[in-house]
Amino acid sequence: MKNYSHSIVTKIFIFLLAILCFSGVIKAFVDIEIIRNSDFSTVFEESYFHSKSYVQESEALISDLTTLIREYKSEEHILNGGTISEEELRMEEETLYYDFQAHSLRYNPEQSEAKNYEVFKEEYADKITSLRDQLIKGDLKQFHLLLQRVEEYKNPLFYASDGVNIYTNSPKGEKENFKSYPSYMIFEDYKRELFPKELEENEYLLSHLTYLNEMNQDSQVISIAFPEKFLQESIKEWEANKEAAERGLLIFIGFSLGFILIFIYLMLVTGRKFFKDEEVHLHALDKIYNDIKILLCLGLIMLWVVLLDAVPFQSMEIMVIPLTVPIATAGFVLILSLIRHLKNRTFMKHSFIYVVLSKFIAFIRNVYESGSVGVKTVLIVVGYPILVAVTFFIFPITIGFAAWFALKKIKAFQAIQEGVERIKDGEIHHSIEVDGKGEFSRLASNINRITDGLNKAVDNELKSERLKTELITNVSHDIRTPLTSIITYVDLLKQENDPVKMAEYIEVLEQKSKRLKVMTDDLFEAAKASSGNIPVQLEKIDIVSLINQGLGEVSDKIEASELTFKLNHPEEKVFMLADGRLLWRSIENVLSNIFKYALKGSRVYIDIENQGNEILLTFKNISAYELNISADELMERFTRGDESRLSEGSGLGLSITKSLIEIQKGRFLIQVDGDLFKAVIYMPKYK
């Protein structure tokens, strides 16, 4: 089963079996219902006297006899006008009056109905007089046709009388003799007499007798008798039909069960390559829209009916299968395609109506959502009356929908109006909530963005003020310290005559002035880097070689700090696009930061990673100071890892690094996790 259950050969073979079984079902049905003019209910009939066939033998005859004795009676009765009622004459006269209104020039709508009726009687006098004769002629014609049809009956025997007129085909001509036949029905004096007694249990006969009960008046009688020979022939024919129906029912049930089981199997395997296959595999035929396929299926059914109806009756039994097989094949191919779409959950979406409606709705929605207020107003003004006209039969729902839509838009407008008032009064953190994607929603979103921008501007202004204060404090502290030392030692130098002490004072002055120079240089470089006025020359840089070379240049500082550097990099060469001078200046600042703040005797990890379009350079070390400030604050100018500011440095190194990396089209990030400090540089990869 695993090897062959879903193979194309198996599917074709099973499909052909399905067509065979379906054709067998149709053949069995046509044989019984059409060719034998019977039905499967014959199987459940106990005997001929319980059957529908018994009733059908006399049903048309009894109907004709009833019409004869109740309505027409005799030719003399018709000629005397016995079949014409005043109501019938009045209706015919009204028909003539309508003709008068439509075609006569003498009809005056401004006159009263009575006046017009007088004119009508005068103009149509001849036609009104001949109405009775025309009706009598029509009834007389129908009487003779009915009488001719009744006289053609040879069997069963009948006797019908209204007390005066007698109609019979019995050779004995007397109703009393009918009881001598093996089966008879007598309706007289509001009573019925049926023989044999099984007829009392014939449900078809009992439903057929409802109008006969209305016929049975005192003077009216209808008797029907089945002669022995005719009865035996009818019983024999019924038994043959019953046997054929039983055989046909077994064939019908067998083929039906086979078809159902096979078709269920086809439903399971169609579109799948194996039983647990989650994907439904569609074919070229599945591109046809599903509603078109449904129409094609209905057309195939109609075609089958029309072709079968055109086949001569004597050839029908032979032609059923040749007609059914090709049409059923085409039909079931379309049905299996519909089933594949059901399994794929695209039955509705893959229909022509759905596609057209969805595109139309999408077009209207796009026009409405992207258009100006004027366009939307025009769409509503033009479209709503059309919608009302199309849906006039449910106009209360249409009006209700329009009222709901208008109320929703009014609420949205009021929400925006109220929100603007609150923002105007100083509630800059207020957010206007409007659902949907329309004009009001976009307006509310834009206002919210304005408030967000205002909030950011206020926050940035507050942050800028704080930074200015901190900048002034830090700069004042960092510059004043060496400057105070310089002033102090200059005063001491003026008063000192000892050459040894003078040399010491001069050495201190040199140290303090150099530190002041470094700080002013860093300030100048920070301002220059943040303004972007530094020339940049991007080139191919071997980052591994650059790091190794740089570490060699600062080996004395590495030894002094007692740090161990671990460099991890890919085996293949890694090249980045950068300015070598600015990149090393950035790395040097990071290393300088590590030398100042890293825990002595700890390890420093430098990782180089190739991330496709970027090269990632990471520096990780353990801080000697407690990092109780955030990474963002460390990136600010004049911020240092030791808040006591005992270590030397301007606090500008990381800020300068960030600016230098960004002007090389890279990114610089700082991450702090407890005492772990991580500096991350992303640079474009050289291609």
Side-chain angles (χ1 to χ4, degrees):
M1 283 295 289
K2 289 182 179 178
N3 293 331
Y4 302 107
S5 61
H6 289 72
S7 71
I8 188 65
V9 175
T10 304
K11 289 179 180 178
I12 292 173
F13 178 72
I14 296 297
F15 181 80
L16 293 176
L17 282 180
I19 298 299
L20 176 65
C21 290
F22 181 77
S23 300
V25 170
I26 298 298
K27 178 70 164 56
F29 179 82
V30 171
D31 282 346
I32 300 301
E33 296 288 339
I34 300 177
I35 297 176
R36 292 187 176 272
N37 194 25
S38 182
D39 56 49
F40 290 115
S41 62
T42 307
V43 175
F44 307 101
E45 294 172 352
E46 295 180 15
S47 68
Y48 175 68
F49 297 108
H50 292 95
S51 69
K52 186 191 291 187
S53 300
Y54 181 90
V55 178
Q56 291 174 341
E57 293 288 359
S58 58
E59 185 176 9
L61 174 61
I62 293 175
S63 176
D64 291 344
L65 292 174
T66 303
T67 305
L68 273 176
I69 62 175
R70 287 189 60 190
E71 185 177 349
Y72 295 122
K73 298 183 184 298
S74 65
E75 184 174 340
E76 184 181 358
H77 178 72
I78 296 171
L79 291 173
N80 291 332
T83 57
I84 309 301
S85 64
E86 293 297 325
E87 179 67 18
E88 192 174 1
L89 282 171
R90 186 184 63 79
M91 291 176 64
E92 292 295 328
E93 191 171 308
E94 285 182 358
T95 303
L96 284 176
Y97 182 68
Y98 293 144
D99 182 75
F100 166 76
Q101 287 179 319
H103 301 100
S104 177
L105 297 175
R106 297 181 62 187
Y107 176 75
N108 187 355
E110 297 179 359
Q111 288 183 349
S112 65
E113 195 72 17
K115 276 276 190 183
N116 279 316
Y117 209 81
E118 289 179 3
V119 176
F120 158 70
K121 284 189 172 183
E122 179 183 338
E123 183 174 342
Y124 280 69
D126 295 339
K127 292 184 178 180
I128 293 172
T129 304
S130 63
L131 273 179
R132 187 180 183 88
D133 294 338
Q134 290 177 2
L135 291 174
I136 289 173
K137 287 181 180 178
D139 287 346
L140 197 61
K141 180 180 179 181
Q142 292 298 321
F143 169 74
H144 285 294
L145 289 174
L146 186 61
L147 192 61
Q148 182 181 355
R149 191 162 63 239
V150 168
E151 289 175 350
E152 290 175 355
Y153 281 97
K154 303 301 179 183
N155 282 298
L157 302 177
F158 63 84
Y159 175 91
S161 174
D162 59 358
V164 177
N165 303 292
I166 297 175
Y167 301 97
T168 182
N169 66 348
S170 172
K172 299 179 181 179
E174 296 180 2
K175 62 182 180 179
E176 289 79 7
N177 293 325
F178 276 57
K179 292 183 180 181
S180 62
Y181 292 100
S183 178
Y184 57 84
M185 295 181 289
I186 299 175
F187 307 97
E188 185 179 12
D189 296 335
Y190 299 99
K191 296 178 183 179
R192 67 170 181 260
E193 190 174 348
L194 306 176
F195 186 83
K197 294 300 181 183
E198 289 96 320
L199 293 177
E200 294 287 353
E201 300 173 1
N202 190 321
E203 57 182 15
Y204 307 107
L205 181 61
L206 295 178
S207 61
H208 180 61
L209 295 179
T210 52
Y211 70 90
L212 283 173
N213 291 333
E214 299 175 2
M215 181 274 304
N216 287 333
Q217 300 174 2
D218 294 339
S219 58
Q220 295 178 345
V221 60
I222 291 180
S223 298
I224 304 293
F226 288 72
E228 180 69 29
K229 184 179 179 181
F230 175 74
L231 183 62
Q232 291 302 321
E233 290 176 353
S234 299
I235 291 174
K236 187 177 180 180
E237 183 180 354
W238 173 81
E239 289 175 346
N241 287 337
K242 179 178 174 66
E243 183 180 352
E246 289 174 345
R247 185 172 59 254
L249 182 61
L250 289 175
I251 296 172
F252 182 85
I253 293 173
F255 277 121
S256 296
L257 289 175
F259 172 75
I260 291 170
L261 292 174
I262 291 171
F263 198 73
I264 290 173
Y265 178 82
L266 284 174
M267 290 171 62
L268 291 174
V269 300
T270 186
R272 309 278 192 197
K273 293 185 177 179
F274 49 90
F275 280 113
K276 293 184 179 180
D277 190 4
E278 296 295 331
E279 182 183 359
V280 177
H281 304 276
L282 301 178
H283 307 310
L285 180 69
D286 301 326
K287 294 180 181 179
I288 302 174
Y289 290 119
N290 290 331
D291 43 4
I292 294 177
K293 282 184 276 196
I294 292 172
L295 291 175
L296 289 174
C297 288
L298 295 175
L300 288 171
I301 294 172
M302 294 176 63
L303 176 65
W304 182 83
V305 172
V306 170
L307 292 177
L308 190 67
D309 186 61
V311 172
F313 185 80
Q314 60 272 18
S315 304
M316 190 172 291
E317 187 173 4
I318 301 172
M319 294 300 297
V320 169
I321 297 296
L323 285 177
T324 303
V325 168
I327 294 176
T329 301
F332 285 120
V333 166
L334 295 173
I335 291 171
L336 288 174
S337 176
L338 294 173
I339 291 171
R340 285 193 290 274
H341 277 290
L342 275 174
K343 292 164 73 172
N344 198 41
R345 297 181 181 178
T346 53
F347 186 81
M348 292 300 298
K349 291 183 179 180
H350 190 69
S351 63
F352 182 75
I353 295 174
Y354 180 90
V355 170
V356 171
L357 287 178
S358 60
K359 287 184 178 180
F360 178 74
I361 292 170
F363 171 75
I364 296 297
R365 185 190 294 115
N366 290 337
V367 172
Y368 182 80
E369 290 180 354
S370 62
S372 63
V373 175
V375 173
K376 294 179 180 180
T377 305
V378 170
L379 280 175
I380 293 173
V381 170
V382 174
Y384 183 69
I386 296 174
L387 179 64
V388 172
V390 172
T391 60
F392 69 93
F393 52 91
I394 53 168
F395 73 92
I397 297 176
T398 308
I399 293 174
F401 173 77
W404 169 81
F405 181 78
L407 181 62
K408 183 179 178 182
K409 293 302 177 183
I410 290 170
K411 285 183 177 180
F413 175 75
Q414 290 175 342
I416 294 172
Q417 191 178 38
E418 180 185 347
V420 171
E421 289 290 332
R422 293 177 66 175
I423 294 170
K424 184 189 72 175
D425 293 337
E427 295 184 39
I428 59 174
H429 294 286
H430 176 70
S431 179
I432 302 172
E433 300 295 335
V434 176
D435 297 331
K437 298 181 181 179
E439 198 80 19
F440 287 147
S441 177
R442 287 198 296 273
L443 178 60
S445 177
N446 291 336
I447 294 173
N448 290 335
R449 288 175 184 171
I450 291 173
T451 58
D452 291 342
L454 188 60
N455 288 329
K456 288 180 181 177
V458 172
D459 292 340
N460 289 336
E461 186 65 27
L462 293 173
K463 184 178 179 181
S464 178
E465 290 296 325
R466 178 176 62 80
L467 288 175
K468 285 179 182 178
T469 303
E470 291 179 358
L471 176 63
I472 293 170
T473 303
N474 293 336
V475 170
S476 299
H477 179 275
D478 290 344
I479 293 179
R480 185 174 56 195
T481 300
L483 192 58
T484 302
S485 298
I486 290 171
I487 293 170
T488 301
Y489 279 97
V490 167
D491 290 338
L492 290 173
L493 190 60
K494 288 178 182 180
Q495 300 172 7
E496 188 61 58
N497 295 320
D498 187 353
V500 176
K501 287 188 176 181
M502 289 177 65
E504 291 178 358
Y505 294 160
I506 291 171
E507 185 178 353
V508 172
L509 285 171
E510 185 181 12
Q511 290 176 357
K512 300 300 180 182
S513 60
K514 284 182 178 180
R515 182 178 177 186
L516 191 60
K517 181 179 182 302
V518 168
M519 292 182 62
T520 54
D521 287 344
D522 284 348
L523 274 171
F524 178 73
E525 188 173 7
K528 200 172 168 185
S530 62
S531 65
N533 290 328
I534 299 176
V536 179
Q537 184 67 39
L538 298 178
E539 56 186 349
K540 179 181 178 181
I541 303 295
D542 184 348
I543 184 61
V544 177
S545 298
L546 182 66
I547 295 292
N548 286 324
Q549 181 182 347
L551 291 177
E553 292 177 2
V554 295
S555 58
D556 54 340
K557 292 185 179 180
I558 295 174
E559 290 178 4
S561 62
E562 300 177 7
L563 297 173
T564 303
F565 279 77
K566 299 288 184 180
L567 178 60
N568 300 314
H569 59 84
E571 294 182 1
E572 68 275 5
K573 290 281 187 179
V574 178
F575 299 101
M576 60 172 57
L577 186 66
D579 186 309
R581 181 179 58 84
L582 298 180
L583 180 61
W584 172 244
R585 180 73 178 93
S586 304
I587 295 173
E588 191 177 31
N589 283 347
V590 174
L591 292 174
S592 176
N593 193 72
I594 291 172
F595 294 143
K596 289 176 185 176
Y597 301 113
L599 182 65
K600 285 191 176 184
S602 62
R603 293 185 182 88
V604 177
Y605 294 92
I606 303 175
D607 298 328
I608 301 172
E609 297 179 40
N610 186 350
Q611 295 194 333
N613 293 326
E614 290 182 317
I615 303 299
L616 173 61
L617 181 61
T618 308
F619 299 84
K620 293 182 284 188
N621 68 275
I622 302 298
S623 175
Y625 301 96
E626 184 180 354
L627 296 175
N628 53 4
I629 57 177
S630 67
D632 292 336
E633 289 176 318
L634 282 172
M635 293 286 286
E636 294 173 0
R637 294 178 181 180
F638 290 98
T639 301
R640 284 151 62 178
D642 59 329
E643 292 187 342
S644 62
R645 309 185 71 80
L646 295 175
S647 61
E648 291 188 1
S650 62
L652 294 169
L654 297 180
S655 176
I656 292 171
T657 299
K658 184 175 186 294
S659 298
L660 292 177
I661 293 297
E662 287 178 350
I663 64 175
Q664 297 176 80
K665 304 186 187 306
R667 292 178 291 149
F668 180 68
L669 305 172
I670 289 177
Q671 298 173 1
V672 176
D673 186 2
D675 291 337
L676 176 64
F677 179 85
K678 187 188 294 185
V680 182
I681 297 175
Y682 290 92
M683 292 299 293
K685 183 179 178 181
Y686 179 81
K687 299 181 180 180

